Amino acid sequence: MYDRRHETKRAGFYFQKVRHYLSDDRIHHDESCGNQYDLRILMMINFTAEFYANQGDYRTSNRLIDAGVQLCSEQHVTYYLPCLKFLATQNAIVLHRPTNEIQSLMSETLAFAKINRNQVIEVKLAALKRRLEQPHPQQTTKIIYPSLKIH
């Protein structure tokens, strides 16, 4: 909520606490908690990765994305993969990663969005592709991240 209100200092404090919680060794999959626990952790990872990307800390954002994708893979959860892959795509663009890497991330994003019937991500990806295909006389390195709403 702080991030959406542009209260960066408070949001930073909050997301630092969340990141510390996520990196705590006590966080392990607990069969007794079921899938709901994994979804809560993935939600925290998603929003925290988005926050750090918005702050320009792509290293932390990418580490969180990787952790989220790994958790999705281990627990056979695909719900957050479109959002995580879309954010990874945006980060790769800002970091000027090779074109084939960006195209691969876009393909993965689209595939997971279609599997999960996530039309929001499909539309965002299409818009991102259109922006990339347009010639820009002044290329900017900052992408404004729209809030990834979780439905």
Side-chain angles (χ1 to χ4, degrees), residues 19 48-67 87-88 91-92 94-95 97 145:
R19 189 177 67 159
T48 305
E50 181 182 355
F51 170 78
Y52 280 104
N54 283 332
Q55 299 305 306
D57 187 350
Y58 301 106
R59 186 177 196 200
T60 300
S61 178
N62 286 336
R63 274 194 247 141
L64 288 162
I65 291 167
D66 291 343
L87 185 56
N91 286 357
V94 171
L95 293 173
R97 301 298 303 157
Y145 288 90

Side-chain angles (χ1 to χ4, degrees), residues 5-116:
R5 290 184 181 173
H6 305 291
E7 295 179 31
T8 306
K9 192 171 185 176
R10 287 182 175 184
F13 178 79
Y14 171 78
F15 283 112
Q16 181 181 8
K17 295 288 185 188
V18 171
R19 189 177 67 159
H20 177 72
Y21 175 78
L22 292 171
S23 67
D24 194 336
D25 288 337
R26 294 176 298 166
I27 304 293
H28 294 291
H29 179 70
D30 184 353
E31 295 294 331
S32 65
C33 294
N35 212 16
Q36 292 300 313
Y37 179 76
D38 294 330
L39 292 175
R40 287 182 193 131
I41 294 296
L42 286 167
M43 179 190 62
M44 288 190 289
I45 288 171
N46 184 59
F47 284 116
T48 305
E50 181 182 355
F51 170 78
Y52 280 104
N54 283 332
Q55 299 305 306
D57 187 350
Y58 301 106
R59 186 177 196 200
T60 300
S61 178
N62 286 336
R63 274 194 247 141
L64 288 162
I65 291 167
D66 291 343
V69 170
Q70 181 179 348
L71 181 60
C72 286
S73 176
E74 289 170 358
Q75 302 307 321
H76 309 289
V77 176
T78 62
Y79 184 77
Y80 282 94
L81 282 173
C83 295
L84 291 168
K85 287 296 187 175
F86 183 73
L87 185 56
T89 302
Q90 290 179 310
N91 286 357
I93 292 166
V94 171
L95 293 173
H96 304 290
R97 301 298 303 157
T99 303
N100 61 340
E101 182 180 332
I102 293 168
Q103 289 173 341
S104 177
L105 285 166
M106 286 181 171
S107 295
E108 292 170 9
T109 300
L110 183 60
F112 287 118
K114 286 189 177 294
I115 288 169
N116 288 302

